[in-house]
Amino acid sequence: MPTSDKTILEVKNISVSFGGVKPVQDVSFKIAENSFTSVIGPNGAGKTSLFNLISGMNKVSSGEIIFNGEAIHSIHTHKIAQKGLIRTFQGAKIIKRLTVAENLMMAVQGNPGDNLSGFFRKKARREFEESARAEALRRLDQVGLSKFADEYAGILSGGQRKLLDLSRALMAKPSMLLLDEPFAGVNPTLVEKLLTVLAQLRKEHAMTFLLIEHDLETVMNISDRVIVMADGKIIADGLPNSIYENELVIDAYLGSRRKDA
Amino acid sequence: MGAFLQPGFWVFVLALAGIYGIFALGLQIQYGVGGIMNFGHVGMMAISGYTIAVLVIKYQWSFWWAAFIGVFLAALLGALLGLTTLRLSGDYFAIASIAFAEITRYWILNTDSVTGGTQGTLAIPDPAGIGGYTTQPDVILTWISDRLYPLFGQEASRDMSMIFIVWPFLILFIWISSKLQQTSWARVLRATREDDEVPRSLGKNVFRFRLQTLVIGSVFGGIAGVFWALQFALLAPEDFLRIVTFYGWMILILAGATRVKGLLVSAIFFGFLYGATRFLEFWPLSLLSSPERAYLRVFLIGFVIVLLMVKRPQGLFGKRDEMVLE
Ligand SMILES: Nc1ncnc2c1ncn2[C@@H]1O[C@H](COP(=O)(O)OP(=O)(O)OP(=O)(O)O)[C@@H](O)[C@H]1O
Ligand SMILES: [Mg+2]
């Protein structure tokens, strides 16, 4: 359950259209600080598009997005990230020609070496890099990738890339994390472990999570709320158990999945 | 073949290699680190070289101030190029950069009253009658060759003095650049050459990083222009054709785009190719007329680039994975 009533993210009537396609239509919700919310919905429902809007990668056609009391719907992606709202990508985006450790180290915020003016602050740069690397190795250990630390990330398998993507987002120490299907293609034992890591981060660092997942079962226990999207709209929003029994959801999503099976 | 044994030949090769090495260093940081394909780099060299000639001859500035302004203008134009076109995707930027350099050259060509037009810097109006722009640095070049005379005798030429001026700078710049490439700033840039969204989603202002690289590279291009102007003591628009940019690319690709220190060797190799094609007079090449032979240089250098791209995309010194990993 959320430990706070404070709203960290508020999405107000946002829509986006690309020509005739309207992936997100008049979507509104509030996310409480330190909560864990899952977004489910069939393929093409608009879940990733919603993340693209929140993270500023696409601009809303109408509506507002408020993060920590500040309107973020018309500012650049990197500025949004700097405010502590970090996202991952569906299908894991890694930088193939950086090493695994470098992929992670890049995510640490406030690196003096990221600015040219930091070039002459050699000591500050070195210390920062050393602690970033130590932290990267810790994170890699957590997901069983430490032996790849100094290999190019391009050699990682599909599942390993997802782990790297997730770990990299965590390196940024976000106050809120948007995860786009982080568990797809990851083996069940590791999924369990990652869920524990997320729960721990939530408890210890008061992080807020918004997570896209296809398999409702996986996130049933960890979520305190589930939002269901279909055709660009929210069709249900509530406690995980209530969603599981919701007729609309069964029709739009769970039902069609049963038919597929 | 005897020509290759002449010390004078190698002195010329080294002087040229030093200048082109600095020139290629600009492309190296832009492409090797930032993945920016700049095909208009020669424009930076043209701007700083011509700025010097015009300010010294027409307005009697001191060479040193003129050189400073020349490099500054190259940087400024790099920034302008970036601000207007860097938001284009890679291929389109490459095309825009060619256009930029061509516009620069045509402007030089057509502004006779300032630049001397087709006739080059000889035709710049010279109110004080100083007849050239290298009088001040020539004092230093002469001083150096006087010192070299006891060691090298008649071989102590102006070219040789140029080596002693250019190479320390080349080595210094390579050192600075390689230090810069070990920073987290460069790590972000390396990420951007593959993907924009990841660095942006991690709070990096990708545009700022790219713009900074473009300007740094332009500064190197501008400095190469200063040395070029000094080396040849006379500039003409046809010195700054597109092909010059590709010479820089050849040096870069030969070294391995990501290996800044490799430039030392590949610049010398280029200088050799450039200089040596003048001497390809043996049969069957002797059947060609001398202007035809001049094209051999372009052909040969193009051939080397193609061969490298196919056989060794990482260059002589690079890591193959860093170029080909998918
Ligand atoms: N930039 C775009 N231009 C045009 N159409 C787009 C764009 N982005 C998304 N769409 C469309 O919006 C719809 C929703 O896509 P989105 O990726 O948000 O779905 P999703 O819910 O994440 O699906 P999945 O579960 O398959 O990942 C799709 O039909 C897609 O083609
Ligand atoms: Mg999606």
Side-chain angles (χ1 to χ4, degrees):
Chain A
M1 287 297 110
T3 54
S4 150
D5 297 332
K6 194 173 163 261
T7 298
I8 185 167
L9 179 76
E10 182 174 7
V11 167
K12 285 197 229 173
N13 309 99
I14 58 167
S15 301
V16 68
S17 52
F18 302 105
V21 190
K22 296 195 169 72
V24 176
Q25 298 167 41
D26 199 27
V27 165
S28 301
F29 57 83
K30 285 183 186 178
I31 301 289
E33 201 166 53
N34 203 14
S35 62
F36 198 115
T37 309
S38 294
V39 181
I40 64 167
N43 293 121
K47 307 180 295 294
T48 299
S49 305
L50 175 67
F51 273 23
N52 288 344
L53 295 178
I54 299 174
S55 62
M57 300 211 140
N58 288 325
K59 294 294 163 214
V60 295
S61 308
S62 62
E64 285 175 46
I65 303 170
I66 316 287
F67 180 66
N68 274 329
E70 226 181 314
I72 56 165
H73 49 271
S74 52
I75 68 176
H76 288 299
T77 298
H78 67 268
K79 292 252 171 71
I80 296 174
Q82 285 166 6
K83 292 181 192 300
L85 179 54
I86 298 280
R87 66 156 313 165
T88 64
F89 296 91
Q90 182 171 12
K93 283 196 169 203
I94 55 153
I95 305 297
K96 295 177 286 248
R97 289 178 281 150
L98 287 185
T99 68
V100 170
E102 284 175 327
N103 263 274
L104 295 192
M105 289 160 75
M106 183 175 82
V108 187
Q109 301 295 298
N111 193 335
D114 278 5
N115 295 315
L116 284 178
S117 57
F119 185 65
F120 298 102
R121 295 167 58 203
K122 213 173 153 186
K123 186 154 171 283
R125 278 199 286 127
R126 202 189 51 233
E127 282 167 5
F128 195 95
E129 285 292 282
E130 279 167 7
S131 81
R133 184 168 165 95
E135 199 189 334
L137 294 178
R138 262 200 312 281
R139 287 255 169 256
L140 289 174
D141 205 33
Q142 216 162 35
V143 293
L145 290 179
S146 27
K147 61 175 176 292
F148 297 104
D150 297 313
E151 304 288 338
Y152 283 122
I155 70 160
L156 296 182
S157 74
Q160 290 171 329
R161 290 178 186 204
K162 302 216 70 141
L163 299 175
L164 179 58
D165 196 8
L166 176 61
S167 308
R168 187 175 56 198
L170 295 176
M171 291 287 287
K173 296 209 166 57
S175 52
M176 180 168 183
L177 192 53
L178 310 178
L179 300 171
D180 196 344
E181 298 192 26
F183 306 132
V186 176
N187 88 64
T189 340
L190 196 50
V191 170
E192 283 309 314
K193 193 175 165 201
L194 291 175
L195 284 169
T196 331
V197 171
L198 298 187
Q200 203 182 340
L201 284 164
R202 182 181 170 193
K203 211 165 135 198
E204 288 170 10
H205 299 282
M207 273 171 67
T208 310
F209 292 91
L210 185 63
L211 175 146
I212 298 175
E213 177 55 57
H214 270 281
D215 185 30
L216 185 51
E217 311 269 357
T218 310
V219 289
M220 200 70 176
N221 288 327
I222 198 171
S223 315
D224 30 48
R225 177 180 169 194
V226 174
I227 295 175
V228 187
M229 283 186 78
D231 287 329
K233 300 188 191 85
I234 292 180
I235 58 163
D237 182 348
L239 297 172
N241 278 321
S242 73
I243 296 299
Y244 208 64
E245 282 139 27
N246 188 311
E247 296 269 323
L248 268 172
V249 179
I250 294 169
D251 281 354
Y253 185 48
L254 300 171
S256 66
R257 267 169 39 109
R258 269 172 218 158
K259 255 177 265 159
D260 290 345
Chain B
M1 277 290 153
F4 298 142
L5 300 175
Q6 300 283 317
F9 169 75
W10 287 101
V11 167
F12 173 75
V13 165
L14 280 178
L16 199 71
I19 296 169
Y20 268 101
I22 295 172
F23 181 67
L25 202 54
L27 292 173
Q28 195 275 331
I29 199 156
Q30 290 170 351
Y31 178 71
V33 185
I36 300 169
M37 281 210 256
N38 179 358
F39 290 139
H41 198 42
V42 66
M44 306 310 165
M45 194 148 86
I47 282 158
S48 79
Y50 261 95
T51 302
I52 294 172
V54 172
L55 289 180
V56 174
I57 299 173
K58 197 168 154 129
Y59 301 103
Q60 295 94 50
W61 279 47
S62 111
F63 178 89
W64 317 110
W65 277 110
F68 178 79
I69 299 295
V71 175
F72 178 78
L73 279 184
L76 199 69
L77 275 141
L80 201 69
L81 173 67
L83 286 170
T84 49
T85 57
L86 208 49
R87 287 184 203 277
L88 299 172
S89 72
D91 308 347
Y92 292 103
F93 175 80
I95 294 168
S97 67
I98 297 183
F100 160 81
E102 287 294 276
I103 290 168
T104 309
R105 190 166 64 84
Y106 279 108
W107 184 81
I108 291 171
L109 201 56
N110 293 307
T111 321
D112 300 43
S113 59
V114 182
T115 62
T118 44
Q119 291 166 290
T121 53
L122 276 181
I124 294 178
D126 187 354
I130 46 179
Y133 55 83
T134 61
T135 325
Q136 278 175 316
D138 277 345
V139 175
I140 294 177
L141 286 169
T142 313
W143 185 87
I144 295 175
S145 59
D146 285 348
R147 297 297 166 298
L148 294 174
Y149 187 80
L151 295 169
F152 299 97
Q154 291 305 326
E155 297 301 337
S157 58
R158 193 175 185 275
D159 278 358
M160 191 184 267
S161 304
M162 279 302 290
I163 295 177
F164 282 87
I165 290 185
V166 175
W167 276 78
F169 277 103
L170 174 61
I171 289 164
L172 174 73
F173 292 154
I174 286 184
W175 182 75
I176 293 174
S177 191
S178 75
K179 286 285 168 218
L180 192 58
Q181 293 178 32
Q182 291 160 16
T183 63
S184 61
W185 176 81
R187 184 169 59 214
V188 173
L189 268 170
R190 280 192 205 100
T192 67
R193 77 188 164 186
E194 254 180 76
D195 183 285
D196 277 17
E197 288 190 338
V198 170
R200 279 166 61 210
S201 74
L202 294 170
K204 318 293 179 193
N205 183 353
V206 171
F207 185 73
R208 164 180 64 97
F209 283 84
R210 290 223 172 100
L211 193 61
Q212 287 173 333
T213 328
L214 194 62
V215 171
I216 293 172
S218 301
V219 168
F220 284 133
I223 294 172
V226 174
F227 290 129
W228 176 294
L230 194 53
Q231 166 79 12
F232 297 105
L234 163 68
L235 304 173
E238 66 261 30
D239 292 337
F240 302 108
L241 296 173
R242 273 157 303 187
I243 187 71
V244 175
T245 301
F246 290 103
Y247 291 158
W249 274 93
M250 195 210 87
I251 294 171
L252 179 65
I253 291 168
L254 188 66
T258 60
R259 289 291 171 272
V260 60
K261 286 172 189 149
L263 284 182
L264 281 178
V265 176
S266 69
I268 294 174
F269 181 77
F270 164 78
F272 173 76
L273 267 189
Y274 187 97
T277 40
R278 287 189 300 176
F279 301 116
L280 296 174
E281 290 165 329
F282 44 86
W283 191 89
L285 299 177
S286 50
L287 299 176
L288 299 169
S289 70
S290 106
E292 282 170 338
R293 269 202 306 273
Y295 280 105
L296 267 178
R297 172 193 300 160
V298 179
F299 171 79
L300 208 66
I301 285 165
F303 181 71
V304 171
I305 294 185
V306 172
L307 200 70
L308 276 166
M309 291 319 264
V310 175
K311 290 287 176 199
R312 231 187 128 76
Q314 75 274 38
L316 297 180
F317 306 101
K319 279 193 264 180
R320 189 173 174 86
D321 277 355
E322 202 176 355
M323 299 310 289
V324 297
L325 206 59
E326 270 312 309

